[in-house]
Amino acid sequence: MGSRVDDEQFRLFVRQQWGPLTRTAYLLTGDRGTAEDLVQSALEKTHRHWGRILRKDAPEVYVRRAMVNTAISWRRRRRPLEVPLLASDSEPVPDAYARVEQRQQLVLALRQLPRRTQAILVLRYFEDLSEADTASILGCSVGSVKSQASRGLARLRAQLNPTVPSSPVRLQGEPA
């Protein structure tokens, strides 16, 4: 069992990190309830080893690694029951909801990628972690992060802009 000081440090960590961890989990799972379950599962695993983690690792890295591994494990065990909706035939009209719709399309496209690539893109671009930090969390090389991120971004661009030629691929609003 952990000491009272360790338990208090863990409670403080959870209070400070709940929002960012839930956001990351949502991007990994695509569902708010599943995201909260994922964060709780990762925090449970973290709490079991809290004293060792504080002495050896950065807790944020450990929790994110646990979240990614757990999300991949869940994905292997469960097949999604949802049926993706067809995209609308009409061009989106710029309005107050256009940004939310674009974000939802991005999350849906992100969920189509392999879990490892999805995790790399979430950690690199949504969590704004460096390539080295992402590699450390996932236990792979920086080169692997770079190549998978590049391929993942190309696939996202192709899914989000299917009428744009595949080479060179640019995101909307990206300078030529």
Side-chain angles (χ1 to χ4, degrees):
M1 290 288 168
S3 71
R4 291 176 60 138
V5 172
D6 285 350
D7 287 344
E8 188 54 40
Q9 287 176 325
F10 182 76
R11 280 188 203 95
L12 180 62
F13 173 79
V14 170
R15 277 191 294 260
Q16 291 173 341
Q17 294 297 315
W18 181 261
L21 291 173
T22 304
R23 183 184 67 230
T24 300
Y26 177 78
L27 292 168
L28 291 171
T29 64
D31 178 75
R32 177 79 177 175
T34 306
E36 289 175 353
D37 290 346
L38 179 60
V39 173
Q40 288 177 1
S41 179
L43 288 171
E44 178 185 351
K45 292 173 185 176
T46 302
H47 186 259
R48 283 188 230 146
H49 305 287
W50 185 248
R52 180 183 56 82
I53 293 167
L54 285 178
R55 289 189 303 274
K56 187 175 181 181
D57 297 325
E60 297 84 4
V61 171
Y62 187 94
V63 174
R64 282 192 172 82
R65 183 179 296 149
M67 284 174 36
V68 168
N69 291 339
T70 303
I72 290 170
S73 173
W74 286 357
R75 179 72 176 203
R76 286 181 186 143
R77 279 189 240 139
R78 299 184 220 165
R79 293 290 170 212
L81 300 175
E82 311 111 31
V83 177
L85 299 175
L86 297 175
S88 173
D89 292 314
S90 64
E91 286 293 316
V93 178
D95 63 14
Y97 299 103
R99 189 170 176 186
V100 172
E101 184 178 332
Q102 287 176 341
R103 194 174 300 146
Q104 288 174 334
Q105 289 173 351
L106 176 60
V107 170
L108 287 174
L110 184 65
R111 301 222 355 107
Q112 300 296 316
L113 298 176
R115 300 303 287 178
R116 189 82 165 170
T117 303
Q118 183 182 20
I120 286 172
L121 293 178
V122 167
L123 294 172
R124 274 290 289 133
Y125 300 105
F126 289 94
E127 288 297 314
D128 200 27
L129 296 179
S130 69
E131 291 164 341
D133 290 342
T134 301
S136 173
I137 288 172
L138 296 175
C140 64
S141 70
V142 172
S144 179
V145 169
K146 288 180 181 182
S147 64
Q148 287 189 44
S150 176
R151 285 191 297 262
L153 288 173
R155 285 182 61 186
L156 282 178
R157 289 178 183 121
Q159 286 179 357
L160 295 173
N161 298 315
T163 58
V164 176
S166 60
S167 180
V169 179
R170 291 191 174 85
L171 289 173
Q172 185 177 20
E174 199 173 314

